[in-house]
């Protein structure tokens, strides 16, 4: 004897109940996805605030490797609205970061040393700047950034030249201006 297959023929109410059950599951899944995204965004914002606070502390900057110093300084300029480009780590010709903003372009040489930067470094930077200026008429400034300051000779050499010196007090001041935006 052949058995008849069971056929489930739901009533309209059962169909409607199944629809709403599926729809509620979809809504719950979507809500959970949104909650995860929001939690991730909250965590990202908290991490960013924590990092911004770190960038206000001299010891944070002094503890960075030279690569991390370049990266963090580029990040500070990017947060200030500059278009930044980290150059390759070797053969960069003395340029670690290139920055552009409306009407201005600059190159940055970063020095994460334990002692103040000496005259030799600024002379090299000035030579690189003059060479780069020949092929890039938009290049306005050279910036020498240091975690340990500059010797008096560096400050004297920079006078009346398109070179800005950026020590930790100046870097932290830029970071403070970002914090309040």
């Amino acid at each position: 004897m052949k058995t008849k297959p069971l056929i489930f023929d739901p009533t309209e109410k059962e169909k409607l109940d199944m629809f709403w059950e599926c729809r509620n599951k979809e809504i719950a899944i979507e809500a959970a996805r949104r909650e995860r995204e929001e939690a991730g965004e909250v965590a990202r914002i908290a991490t960013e605030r924590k990092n911004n606070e770190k960038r206000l502390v001299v010891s944070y900057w002094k503890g960075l490797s030279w690569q991390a110093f370049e990266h963090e300084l580029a990040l500070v300029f990017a947060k200030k609205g500059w278009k930044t480009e980290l150059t390759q780590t070797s053969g960069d010709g003395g340029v670690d970061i290139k920055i552009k903003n409306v009407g201005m372009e600059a190159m940055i040489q970063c020095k994460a040393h334990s002692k103040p930067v000496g005259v030799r470094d600024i002379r090299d930077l000035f030579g690189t700047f003059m060479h780069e200026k020949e092929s890039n008429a938009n290049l306005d400034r050279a910036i020498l950034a240091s975690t340990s300051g500059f010797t008096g000779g560096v400050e004297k050499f920079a006078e009346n030249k398109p070179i800005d010196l950026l020590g930790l007090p100046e870097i932290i001041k830029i970071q403070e201006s970002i914090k309040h935006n």
Side-chain angles (χ1 to χ4, degrees), residues 63-151:
L64 296 174
S65 68
W66 63 269
Q67 297 101 326
F69 178 52
E70 290 175 10
H71 174 68
E72 287 292 310
L73 189 58
L75 191 57
V76 166
F77 274 96
K79 287 179 174 291
K80 196 69 180 157
W82 292 79
K83 180 180 178 208
T84 60
E85 176 190 341
L86 282 163
T87 62
Q88 59 191 24
T89 55
S90 63
D92 60 16
V95 180
D96 297 317
I97 308 168
K98 294 178 181 180
I99 60 173
K100 293 179 184 180
N101 205 339
V102 179
M104 185 175 169
E105 230 176 277
M107 55 185 265
I108 303 173
Q109 174 69 55
C110 298
K111 297 293 182 183
H113 297 172
S114 58
K115 295 182 180 178
V117 174
V119 175
R120 180 173 169 240
D121 291 314
I122 196 166
R123 284 190 179 139
D124 289 347
L125 176 62
F126 187 63
T128 300
F129 172 78
M130 296 306 289
H131 177 75
E132 291 286 320
K133 183 100 173 119
E134 289 175 10
S135 61
N136 181 359
N138 296 323
L139 185 63
D140 300 298
R141 314 276 314 155
I143 299 170
L144 184 56
S146 169
T147 58
S148 297
F150 308 95
T151 64

Side-chain angles (χ1 to χ4, degrees), residues 38-57:
E38 288 171 7
E41 182 65 11
V42 167
R44 187 195 64 73
I45 291 169
T47 300
E48 186 60 32
R49 281 189 186 139
K50 185 177 172 186
N51 288 340
N52 284 341
E53 292 299 318
K54 282 186 202 174
R55 291 184 193 104
L56 296 173
V57 179

